[in-house]
Amino acid sequence: MDLFFAYMFVASATPLFLWLEHRKIALLSVPFIFVMWALAISFLFEGFMFHISESTFIAGFLINVLIAHVAAFILYASPYYQAKSKKLSETSE
């Protein structure tokens, strides 16, 4: 469970990293982060807000993991691949 919470903090910071360059993606990830935290709190307090199953919590968590990985790809790998493809197109001309 500690790993879930550690990654939840990382996933919660994702919109901050995306805000300057990709605001639409940052804003789209905010509702999923709220749902992730609501499910986690509900799971910890055994359905205090609403009754959920463990699979619902894990599914919500995995959706946020996917969003965070897409954001990391957009921020870090995408510029590298764009520069590489630009360099290849310049050398082929």
Side-chain angles (χ1 to χ4, degrees):
M1 198 67 174
D2 292 339
L3 180 62
F4 283 125
F5 277 103
Y7 198 82
M8 285 171 60
F9 285 117
V10 172
S12 297
T14 300
L16 297 174
F17 298 122
L18 290 171
W19 186 252
L20 292 177
E21 297 174 351
H22 303 281
R23 289 188 183 181
K24 288 181 183 178
I25 297 173
L27 290 174
L28 286 173
S29 67
V30 171
F32 293 104
I33 291 170
F34 283 127
V35 169
M36 176 182 64
W37 280 101
L39 289 172
I41 291 169
S42 177
F43 184 73
L44 285 176
F45 292 112
E46 297 178 11
F48 176 70
M49 290 188 275
F50 47 87
H51 182 71
I52 62 164
S53 66
E54 186 175 336
S55 61
T56 307
F57 170 71
I58 292 172
F61 176 79
L62 290 176
I63 289 170
N64 280 297
V65 168
L66 178 68
I67 291 171
H69 281 80
V70 168
F73 178 80
I74 289 171
L75 287 174
Y76 301 115
S78 179
Y80 171 76
Y81 288 121
Q82 287 176 352
K84 191 173 183 177
S85 68
K86 185 178 178 182
K87 185 178 178 183
L88 286 174
S89 67
E90 288 175 356
T91 58
S92 66
E93 291 176 358

